[in-house]
Amino acid sequence: MKSFLLFPLLIIYGSLSAQTGIIKGQIKDAQSEIGLIGVTIELLGQEITTGVVSDDGGYFRLENVPIGRQSIRVTYLGFESVTLPNIDVTSGKDAVVDVKLKESFGELGEVVVTSETPKDMSINRLTSVSAVQFGMEETQRYAGGRSDIGRLASNFAGVSTPDDSRNDIVVRGNSPVGLLYRLEGIPIPNPNHFTSAGTAGGAVSSVNPNLLKNSDFLTSAFPSEYGNAIGGVFDLGFRTGNKDDYEFSAQLGAFTGVEALAEGPLGKNNGSFLIGARYSLIGLLGGAGITSATPNYSDISLNVDLGDTDWGRFSVFGILGSSSIDFLGEEFEEEDLFSSEDEDMFVSSDFGVFGIKHRLNLGKSTYLQSVVSTSFSNDGIESHRYINLNESDERRLLYTEADNSENRYTFSSYLNSKINSKTTLRTGILMENFNVKSILRDRDEQPDNDGDGDPDLFTFRDIDDGFSIIQPFVQTQYRVTENLTLNAGLHGQFSNLNNQFVVEPRAGLKYQVGQNHTFSLGYGIHHQPVSLPVLFLNESVDGELVQTNRDLDFVRSDHYVLGYDLLMGSGWRAKAEIYYQNISNAAVEAFPSSYSSLTEGADFSFDNDRVSLENTGTGFNQGIELTLEKFFSDGYYGLLTASFFESKYEGSDGIERNSPFNNGYVTNLLGGREFKIGKNQQNVLFVDTRMSLAGGRYYTPVDLTASQEAGYEVLQENLAYSQQYDDYFRWDVKVGLKLNVLHKKQSHHFYVDFQNVTNKENVFERRYNRLTNQVNQVNQMGFFPDLGYRFQF
C-alpha cells in the first residue's frame, strides 16, 4: 500500500524541472487541400519569437517548445493568416496540428485577416450550415463522456441521447437510424459494441478516440457528397502516426477498458503506422461483482500510411470489434435493464472494416482520392424461456433465435480541384454492394397452431440476398465576393432493390459581415431506404412467406436551415440556427394505424409484424438551437447548448402524434478549468463538469388488462406516444492530474469521472412484467465513478 501511494509522488517529484515538447503538423491550401511550401510558423508568447518554414509537402516541426498551453501563428504570402491558441504541449507526446489556409480574395500581399479559433469551422469547407468540428481532445476532456464519440455528440446543439445504457444519437428529432457513419470517406456499418441489425447505436463505441483526427458532425442540409441519410452524418477520420519518433501509450479505464497504442515512422517515404487495441476491463475481471451480466468487448484499430510513391500516397486503415454478454435468469437482479428471471439470453455482435486509400496529386491544385474497402456487421440473440419456473414441471424452451449479418464492398472516388481563388469543384461516385443474411424466429405474441402447448416459433425473416446502391455527386464552391460564399451541388442515389433513382439538389450560402458576424442558409433533399429489418420481413400469403415490404421507396426529407454566428472576441462564440424538416414517403400500414417507420430505432429491436407497408406516411421536425461557447483559453472553457424542438408524425390513420424522439427540449452546460502546478508550472490539475437536462421521451402506454389476458405486453396503439416520461437530468464531475516527467519523453494522466453525482433515477422504461402481471418501471444507471489512468512515452 505504501508503495502504491509513493508511486504518484515520485512522478510529481521527477517532473518539477524544465521540460520541452514538440509542435508539428502540415499546412494545406483550404481549397486544393494540397500542402503549401514556405509557410512561416511562429511560436508566440516567448521572450524571443522562434519559427520555422514548412517543407515541400507542407510539413513543419517546432522543437524545444515549453510544456503547457502554447500558441502559434501561421502566415503565407497571399493567404489569410491563422493563429492557433492553447495547443496542449506535453512531454509524453508530440502535439500535432494541421492547418488549412484560405487564399486571399483579391491581389497578393500581406493579408491582415486572422482567424483565432479554427475549430469554429468544419473540416469540410464545402459545408455551409449545421456542422461541428470535434477531435480527440474534446472526446477525452468532457465529463461523463466515457471516451465515446456518440456521447460526445450529445453535448452539441440539436442532439439528444437521454439513455445511459446506449449511445444512440437523436438529431433534431430524427430516429437514430437516420444517422450515417463514415470513416476515411466511406460509409461503414454501425461502429458500436452490442448492436443489433438496423440500429445505429450500442452500449459502447468501437471507435477508439485516441486514433481520431479532427472530424465533422453534421446535423442538417449536408453537402452533396453525403447521401443515404436523413438525420445526421458522423464524418470520421484517423490521424496518421508519428512520422519522426516512436510513441506508445497504455491506458486503463472502467468504460474504455485496458488499452495499448503504438505509433511511429514506417519506411523511407515519410510513412507511419498507428495501431491501438482495447479490451473490456470488467470482462477481464470477470464482472468483479459490479454487474450480474459480464460484458465482454474488444476492438483493434489501425492506420498505416505507406508514404509518398511515384504512384501517389497509399494508406491502409481498419477497425475490428467484437462483443458478447450473457443474461442468465438465475443471476437476475431487480435493476437489470435487459434480463428477466425466467429467461436466459445470449447476445453477441461483431463489426469490422478494412480499407485501402489512395491519393494522387495532379498538379498543384487538383487531387484524386479513391478508397476500396470491405466491411461487415454481425449480431445474434438466442433466448431460452423457463416455462413453469420453480415448479416441478419446469422446462426450458427456445423462445427467440436471431442471426444477422451484413457484408459490404465499397468503392469511392472523387476529384477535387481548385480552379482559382474563387472556385472549387469536387465530383465523384460511391458504389456499395451489400450481401445480407438474416434469420429471425420468435414465439413472442404467436398462437399455438400446432397444439403442443407453446406459442409457435414463427420465421419472421430468412433471407440471403444482395443489392447495390450507387451515389454520384458533384459539388462546387464559389466565392461570390470576399464575404459571400455559395456552396451548391447535386447528389444522386440508385438502389437495385427497388430500382429507384433520385436526384437531390443541395445548396448553402454564407455571408460574413465584418470580422465577427456570419449569416448562413442551407437547403437540401435527402433520401434513405426503410431499415433492412423492416424491408425483409416475411408475411404469410396463401400459405407462403413473402417479403411484402421489399419494394418500398426511399423515405424523403427536405431540410431548411437559417443560421447566425457571432464571434465575440477572446475566444467566445455564439450561434443560433432555426430549422425545418419535412418528411414524406415514410412506411405505414395499409389500414388505419398509428405505426410509422419514423418511430423505429428507439431501442434494440424493430417491430416484426409490420408487413404490406405503403409509402404514404409523413412527419416533420422543427426547432431552434442556441450555442454559447468559450473555446479553451486562459486556462478554462465553457459550453452552453439549448435546443427547443418539435418532432411529429402521421401514420395511416391520419392523426398527428408525437414521435418517440420528441423530447421538446435539451440543454447542456459544460465547463472546465486547468490549474498549473509544480515548481515550473508544468503539471496540470483539471476539473470538468457537465449538466444535462432534457424533456422525457414519449411512449405508448401498456394495456394492462389485455396484457394479463395474453401473457405478453400489449400496447394501446390508439394512444401511441401519448404519454411522456419525467424529465431527464444528469450531473457529472471529472477531476484529474496531468504530469510531465523530467528528462524523459513521458507523461501521466490520472482522472476520476463521477457520473450522475446526484444519483438521479432517470426512467429507462415502463413495461409489462409477465411474472408479476403488472407494469413495472425500470430506471437507468445511478451514481457511478469511472476511474482512469494513461501513460504516454
Side-chain angles (χ1 to χ4, degrees):
M1 182 66 178
K2 292 181 179 179
S3 298
F4 178 78
L5 294 175
L6 186 61
F7 174 64
L9 296 178
L10 290 175
I11 294 175
I12 295 174
Y13 178 79
S15 61
L16 293 181
S17 297
Q19 177 65 293
T20 61
I22 294 171
I23 298 177
K24 63 183 183 179
Q26 186 182 25
I27 313 299
K28 294 181 180 180
D29 185 318
Q31 292 174 264
S32 69
E33 298 188 355
I34 292 176
L36 295 173
I37 183 174
V39 180
T40 300
I41 302 96
E42 298 173 283
L43 179 64
L44 304 179
Q46 310 302 311
E47 292 183 3
I48 301 177
T49 301
T50 60
V52 295
V53 175
S54 63
D55 63 17
D56 55 3
Y59 295 98
F60 73 94
R61 179 183 175 95
L62 274 168
E63 299 183 343
N64 298 317
V65 179
I67 295 300
R69 297 279 176 174
Q70 303 296 340
S71 300
I72 62 173
R73 181 170 58 227
V74 182
T75 56
Y76 193 51
L77 183 65
F79 284 72
E80 297 176 5
S81 62
V82 170
T83 299
L84 274 74
N86 298 291
I87 300 171
D88 190 11
V89 181
T90 69
S91 61
K93 182 173 179 55
D94 296 349
V96 180
V97 292
D98 293 327
V99 183
K100 293 182 179 180
L101 296 183
K102 183 189 297 185
E103 186 174 352
S104 61
F105 191 82
E107 68 281 353
L108 293 178
E110 183 177 355
V111 181
V112 297
V113 177
T114 301
S115 171
E116 294 187 350
T117 53
K119 282 197 172 183
D120 65 353
M121 297 180 288
S122 61
I123 297 295
N124 188 334
R125 297 304 172 89
L126 302 182
T127 300
S128 301
V129 294
S130 305
V132 180
Q133 180 187 162
F134 68 95
M136 179 172 59
E137 185 175 357
E138 289 83 5
T139 308
Q140 297 174 343
R141 173 190 291 163
Y142 294 153
R146 304 181 188 175
S147 294
D148 187 314
I149 60 171
R151 301 183 193 279
L152 165 71
S154 67
N155 299 303
F156 302 148
V159 182
S160 172
T161 58
D163 186 343
D164 296 333
S165 67
R166 290 172 58 86
N167 60 10
D168 292 287
I169 301 172
V170 176
V171 180
R172 293 183 171 177
N174 289 284
S175 166
V177 301
L179 183 70
L180 168 68
Y181 280 97
R182 297 207 329 174
L183 178 65
E184 295 295 330
I186 59 160
I188 60 174
N190 181 353
N192 287 288
H193 294 298
F194 306 105
T195 66
S196 56
T199 63
V204 181
S205 175
S206 57
V207 177
N208 188 333
N210 291 316
L211 276 78
L212 283 180
K213 66 180 180 182
N214 282 4
S215 303
D216 283 338
F217 181 69
L218 301 92
T219 58
S220 195
F222 327 126
S224 62
E225 65 187 87
Y226 304 104
N228 201 21
I230 62 174
V233 177
F234 248 128
D235 193 4
L236 306 171
F238 278 163
R239 64 183 179 88
T240 56
N242 195 320
K243 301 178 185 300
D244 304 309
D245 304 297
Y246 293 100
E247 293 180 336
F248 306 91
S249 69
Q251 184 169 315
L252 189 68
F255 285 103
T256 57
V258 180
E259 177 179 348
L261 185 144
E263 59 184 293
L266 181 67
K268 299 180 180 180
N269 297 316
N270 206 26
S272 67
F273 73 91
L274 172 64
I275 184 169
R278 304 184 297 180
Y279 193 88
S280 161
L281 177 61
I282 296 176
L284 196 64
L285 298 177
I290 297 174
T291 176
S292 59
T294 303
N296 293 283
Y297 53 91
S298 60
D299 52 66
I300 183 169
S301 305
L302 63 88
N303 189 27
V304 179
D305 182 358
L306 301 179
D308 296 310
T309 71
D310 293 339
W311 298 92
R313 196 175 192 98
F314 291 87
S315 61
V316 177
F317 62 91
I319 304 176
L320 181 63
S322 180
S323 55
S324 65
I325 189 169
D326 298 341
F327 298 100
L328 302 180
E330 64 182 10
E331 299 176 356
F332 170 76
E333 296 179 358
E334 289 294 333
E335 63 271 16
D336 286 349
L337 301 182
F338 305 107
S339 60
S340 179
E341 186 178 358
D342 65 341
E343 187 175 46
D344 293 338
M345 183 166 59
F346 307 93
V347 180
S348 64
S349 68
D350 302 291
F351 157 76
V353 57
F354 178 82
I356 301 173
K357 183 169 71 172
H358 173 243
R359 173 168 168 150
L360 179 64
N361 290 344
L362 304 173
K364 296 183 179 180
S365 60
T366 303
Y367 71 89
L368 177 68
Q369 181 166 296
S370 303
V371 180
V372 58
S373 75
T374 180
S375 59
F376 70 88
S377 179
N378 305 324
D379 67 89
I381 297 177
E382 186 176 304
S383 170
H384 297 265
R385 187 81 56 85
Y386 288 91
I387 310 300
N388 301 322
L389 181 67
N390 297 326
E391 301 292 334
S392 58
D393 56 347
E394 176 184 304
R395 56 194 174 88
R396 191 168 183 259
L397 177 70
L398 175 63
Y399 216 83
T400 303
E401 182 182 27
D403 188 4
N404 307 295
S405 68
E406 175 194 297
N407 291 282
R408 187 184 309 190
Y409 299 95
T410 305
F411 173 75
S412 169
S413 185
Y414 71 85
L415 182 77
N416 188 93
S417 181
K418 175 183 177 182
I419 297 175
N420 51 49
S421 63
K422 296 182 179 181
T423 308
T424 304
L425 172 68
R426 182 177 294 180
T427 183
I429 190 168
L430 170 68
M431 296 183 288
E432 297 176 280
N433 179 263
F434 297 80
N435 180 260
V436 179
K437 295 182 180 180
S438 180
I439 296 175
L440 173 60
R441 299 187 179 96
D442 198 357
R443 297 181 189 270
D444 198 35
E445 302 183 23
Q446 297 307 301
D448 180 17
N449 291 324
D450 57 12
D452 65 354
D454 297 317
D456 294 342
L457 189 65
F458 184 77
T459 302
F460 288 94
R461 287 193 305 271
D462 188 0
I463 60 169
D464 184 354
D465 210 338
F467 63 95
S468 298
I469 294 180
I470 301 174
Q471 302 175 66
F473 75 90
V474 60
Q475 176 89 11
T476 61
Q477 180 181 89
Y478 181 66
R479 300 173 67 186
V480 182
T481 69
E482 187 173 4
N483 298 321
L484 179 63
T485 301
L486 169 67
N487 292 306
L490 292 173
H491 179 272
Q493 186 164 304
F494 169 77
S495 171
N496 66 358
L497 188 63
N498 58 9
N499 290 316
Q500 184 182 7
F501 179 73
V502 293
V503 177
E504 305 167 338
R506 315 277 178 86
L509 278 173
K510 293 189 75 170
Y511 181 61
Q512 185 172 344
V513 181
Q515 289 293 306
N516 300 326
H517 305 270
T518 302
F519 296 88
S520 56
L521 180 68
Y523 168 74
I525 297 177
H526 309 270
H527 290 83
Q528 186 179 35
V530 174
S531 297
L532 295 184
V534 176
L535 283 181
F536 291 127
L537 278 175
N538 283 333
E539 181 180 8
S540 180
V541 179
D542 298 328
E544 294 185 5
L545 297 180
V546 181
Q547 296 171 8
T548 53
N549 295 335
R550 183 185 180 92
D551 296 328
L552 285 170
D553 288 341
F554 299 138
V555 179
R556 169 173 168 160
S557 183
D558 292 61
H559 293 190
Y560 307 83
V561 185
L562 176 64
Y564 169 67
D565 202 310
L566 171 64
L567 294 179
M568 303 166 63
S570 300
W572 285 87
R573 172 203 191 192
K575 183 178 180 180
E577 284 196 344
I578 301 174
Y579 66 88
Y580 179 78
Q581 299 175 355
N582 182 59
I583 306 173
S584 57
N585 291 349
V588 297
E589 294 182 298
F591 54 87
S593 158
S594 62
Y595 173 79
S596 171
S597 61
L598 299 180
T599 65
E600 297 281 15
D603 51 33
F604 281 101
S605 61
F606 289 76
D607 288 354
N608 56 20
D609 59 349
R610 308 297 185 175
V611 291
S612 295
L613 301 180
E614 299 176 345
N615 287 108
T616 57
T618 60
F620 70 86
N621 302 310
Q622 61 184 5
I624 181 171
E625 299 170 358
L626 305 172
T627 299
L628 178 63
E629 183 169 11
K630 167 65 166 62
F631 296 101
F632 193 100
S633 64
D634 301 321
Y636 73 100
Y637 72 92
L639 176 64
L640 172 65
T641 62
S643 306
F644 305 93
F645 62 98
E646 188 176 35
S647 176
K648 301 277 190 174
Y649 80 97
E650 288 187 14
S652 55
D653 59 6
I655 300 175
E656 184 178 279
R657 291 182 167 86
N658 297 298
S659 85
F661 316 107
N662 188 23
N663 300 77
Y665 75 95
V666 180
T667 59
N668 296 290
L669 176 62
L670 298 89
R673 177 81 185 185
E674 290 187 354
F675 302 92
K676 296 180 180 180
I677 60 175
K679 181 179 179 181
N680 294 292
Q681 303 289 288
Q682 294 173 328
N683 302 318
V684 174
L685 173 68
F686 63 88
V687 180
D688 299 277
T689 189
R690 173 183 183 263
M691 286 187 181
S692 293
L693 179 64
R697 291 175 293 142
Y698 279 92
Y699 68 99
T700 302
V702 174
D703 187 330
L704 181 58
T705 301
S707 300
Q708 291 172 337
E709 293 176 354
Y712 53 80
E713 185 176 81
V714 178
L715 301 178
Q716 301 181 53
E717 293 201 6
N718 61 315
L719 300 177
Y721 307 109
S722 61
Q723 295 188 14
Q724 189 176 19
Y725 293 132
D726 294 338
D727 287 354
Y728 175 95
F729 174 75
R730 177 168 156 171
W731 180 23
D732 304 317
V733 177
K734 185 177 183 179
V735 296
L737 191 63
K738 299 178 184 178
L739 302 172
N740 295 293
V741 178
L742 172 66
H743 300 319
K744 293 183 180 180
K745 190 175 182 180
Q746 295 179 0
S747 65
H748 302 264
H749 184 174
F750 304 86
Y751 71 85
V752 182
D753 194 349
F754 301 100
Q755 301 185 13
N756 195 2
V757 295
T758 64
N759 200 32
K760 176 72 163 61
E761 294 185 342
N762 294 299
V763 180
F764 177 68
E765 69 174 347
R766 294 191 179 106
R767 60 192 180 197
Y768 173 70
N769 186 324
R770 60 180 177 270
L771 298 181
T772 64
N773 276 326
Q774 298 296 321
V775 175
N776 299 142
Q777 176 172 305
V778 182
N779 294 324
Q780 301 190 46
M781 184 183 74
F783 171 72
F784 186 89
D786 178 16
L787 289 78
Y789 165 68
R790 181 167 65 248
F791 176 41
Q792 295 178 317
F793 59 101

